[in-house]
Amino acid sequence: MTLANATVQTGRDAPPGGPHGERPARISRNAGTWFLVLPALIPILVLSVGPLLYGIALAFTDAQSGRTRSTRWTGVLNFQDLLHDGLFWDSFRIGLVWAVGVTVPQFVLALGLALLLNQNLRMRWLARALAIIPWAMPEVVVGIMWRLVYNPDAGILNETIRDLGLGDGRDWLTGLATALPAVILVGVWAGMPQTTVALLAGLQNTPHELHEAAALDGAGAWRRFRTVTWPALRPVALSITALNFIWNFNSFALVYVLTNGGPGGRTRLPMLFAYEEAFRYGQFGYAAAMGCVMVAVISVLLAVYLVGRLGGGEER
């Protein structure tokens, strides 16, 4: 009896440290975490996830503009039509050319500028401030400014060509051969600062002692960059390049202001094509199907990038 009483007393007075005692504390901590995250999560759900799900659902309907029109469920009919839409796939090809044509020069030029700004130069703070000016300007303002630069009659580009005696200039934004390269140049100029800032941050995190040790070993500038700078900069470079490609592929405002997709569709990016189908022709369901295809492509690119990172594809 004494042993039994001792056992009962021990069980009654034991601290709630076992599995049954930890469960309420864990639930309380999880509830507190969700309570803190909820204010930031609600806008994401309302403004991002909600419209995305609505757009996906809209892609399976024949939704069109007009209050009196009824919307019917059509299944995958919009996607079947999209497979045979040569104009959409042409815009998709142009979007890939645009994304690659902007992202690659953007990275190369930003890398050179970041290496320059990382040097101990006089007035370096002013150079860094001037380098990020295009980043601080809205895309609409950038588009208007470059339209003035490309103006065939009074633009500074054609005026410079005439002053140098190189010809009479040309209409850069309406020429079939020059429109896309001209727009790509603006995209590189507008997006280079953010890439420069990211790469400059990576350079500043590289230990200076490694460069000094390599220099003492007789390594030249190129060898120091290849063996010291680039391995430390590679994770940042891969991240910012992947993000830049996604941002550039989804571009809309800059090209819309510059050319509105012209001339003859030579600069009609996928986002511009979907915008025209939805708001110019009122085909909301068909435009939503285009959006779903673009979301799928971007998701695949993100998946490949994340698998490369999580699978140990980056040097650490």
Side-chain angles (χ1 to χ4, degrees):
M1 293 295 294
T2 304
L3 181 59
N5 291 337
T7 303
V8 173
Q9 184 70 21
T10 303
R12 185 186 302 118
D13 296 337
H20 298 289
E22 291 180 354
R23 188 175 302 166
R26 189 182 302 114
I27 294 175
S28 178
R29 287 196 300 269
N30 291 338
T33 302
W34 281 107
F35 179 77
L36 294 175
V37 172
L38 201 59
L41 190 61
I42 289 177
I44 295 176
L45 293 174
V46 173
L47 301 177
S48 297
V49 178
L52 176 62
L53 295 178
Y54 178 72
I56 293 175
L58 206 64
F60 296 92
T61 68
D62 63 348
Q64 298 180 8
S65 61
R67 293 185 177 181
T68 60
R69 299 190 64 91
S70 60
T71 299
R72 296 177 301 173
W73 182 265
T74 59
V76 297
L77 182 61
N78 287 327
F79 295 95
Q80 291 176 353
D81 293 339
L82 201 59
L83 288 175
H84 302 91
D85 192 341
L87 292 177
F88 172 73
W89 294 112
D90 191 49
S91 73
F92 201 88
R93 178 188 59 80
I94 294 172
L96 290 177
V97 172
W98 153 268
V100 174
V102 173
T103 303
V104 174
Q106 204 174 73
F107 175 79
V108 174
L109 295 175
L111 179 60
L113 184 58
L115 291 171
L116 180 62
L117 295 178
N118 195 45
Q119 303 300 317
N120 190 17
L121 304 174
R122 295 182 60 184
M123 305 292 289
R124 183 173 58 177
W125 61 272
L126 179 60
R128 289 180 177 178
L130 293 175
I132 64 173
I133 287 179
W135 191 14
M137 298 173 63
E139 287 188 324
V140 174
V141 176
V142 172
I144 294 173
M145 182 184 72
W146 277 90
R147 280 184 66 92
L148 296 176
V149 172
Y150 285 134
N151 186 280
D153 298 322
I156 187 174
L157 180 58
N158 280 344
E159 288 291 334
T160 303
I161 291 175
R162 295 186 189 103
D163 292 341
L164 295 177
L166 300 178
D168 295 330
R170 59 194 311 170
D171 198 344
W172 300 94
L173 294 178
T174 60
L176 295 177
T178 59
L180 186 58
V183 173
I184 287 176
L185 176 62
V186 180
V188 172
W189 182 85
M192 193 173 66
Q194 62 187 10
T195 309
T196 302
V197 171
L199 295 176
L200 183 59
L203 290 173
Q204 292 178 341
N205 288 330
T206 305
H208 188 65
E209 293 79 7
L210 297 178
H211 291 277
E212 293 179 347
L216 291 175
D217 290 339
W222 169 246
R223 187 178 177 185
R224 290 199 304 271
F225 174 81
R226 185 170 54 86
T227 59
V228 178
T229 304
W230 179 246
L233 198 62
R234 187 166 177 250
V236 179
L238 290 176
S239 299
I240 194 62
T241 302
L243 292 175
N244 280 342
F245 184 85
I246 293 171
W247 288 332
N248 291 327
F249 186 76
N250 289 327
S251 293
F252 173 78
L254 187 62
V255 181
Y256 180 80
V257 174
L258 283 170
T259 63
N260 197 17
R266 295 299 176 93
T267 61
R268 186 188 289 126
L269 305 182
M271 289 295 294
L272 278 171
F273 193 85
Y275 171 83
E276 290 179 352
E277 288 293 325
F279 298 105
R280 179 175 295 181
Y281 305 114
Q283 302 295 328
F284 295 139
Y286 193 54
M290 296 180 187
C292 289
V293 172
M294 287 183 280
V295 168
V297 172
I298 296 302
S299 299
V300 170
L301 293 175
L302 278 175
V304 172
Y305 167 68
L306 291 176
V307 167
R309 290 201 62 179
L310 298 178
E314 294 185 11
E315 297 179 5
R316 298 186 183 277

